[in-house]
Amino acid sequence: MLVELGVVEQRYRAVLEVLEEGVPVTEVARRHGGARQPVHEWLARYAAGGLGGLADRSPRPGSCPHQMPAGVEARIAGMRRDHPGWGHPESGGSLGVRPLGRSAVYRTLIHRGLLDPKGRKLRREDYRR
């Protein structure tokens, strides 16, 4: 009877072969049909997180360091509501938090729905050289 093993179970067996049986990593990788680098990664993840560390992970990063903080976004939106006649460059300059680019303030206002994005001006169709 054939039994299909899950991904975590296959990785766990590979880790146990290396740790308990003392089989070299290259041999384990050859048996499982892969490279040795993933086996080293599984060993490190098993040492750090146990069996749960061998599960698939999301490739999404945990944070985005250059993203604008939510508080600054809220202050930009509040200034726009208080002063609707101001353009987007003035909104970012008077915050006093850190220097913000014009495009960052513009994107924030569009994202919050406080500004209608305008397309670029197109050339006239009847223009001829």
Side-chain angles (χ1 to χ4, degrees), residues 7 70 108:
V7 175
T108 301

Side-chain angles (χ1 to χ4, degrees), residues 62-115:
S63 67
C64 184
H66 63 275
Q67 185 176 9
M68 186 182 303
V72 176
E73 260 192 55
R75 287 174 63 184
I76 291 172
M79 289 187 90
R80 178 65 177 194
R81 286 187 197 101
D82 294 343
H83 307 282
W86 286 6
H88 57 275
E90 292 84 4
S91 301
S94 57
L95 283 174
V97 178
R98 63 182 170 123
L100 291 174
R102 293 174 53 176
S103 59
V105 175
Y106 181 73
R107 282 192 308 267
T108 301
L109 293 175
I110 290 175
H111 177 72
R112 295 276 180 131
L114 299 172
L115 193 65

Side-chain angles (χ1 to χ4, degrees), residues 28-43:
V28 172
R30 190 176 302 123
R31 277 191 217 155
H32 290 276
R36 59 183 172 76
Q37 288 88 353
V39 178
H40 283 292
E41 183 182 326
W42 299 337
L43 287 168

Side-chain angles (χ1 to χ4, degrees), residues 14-27:
V15 167
L16 288 182
E17 283 183 36
V18 173
L19 294 179
E20 293 181 355
E21 299 173 18
V23 180
V25 172
T26 53
E27 180 63 31

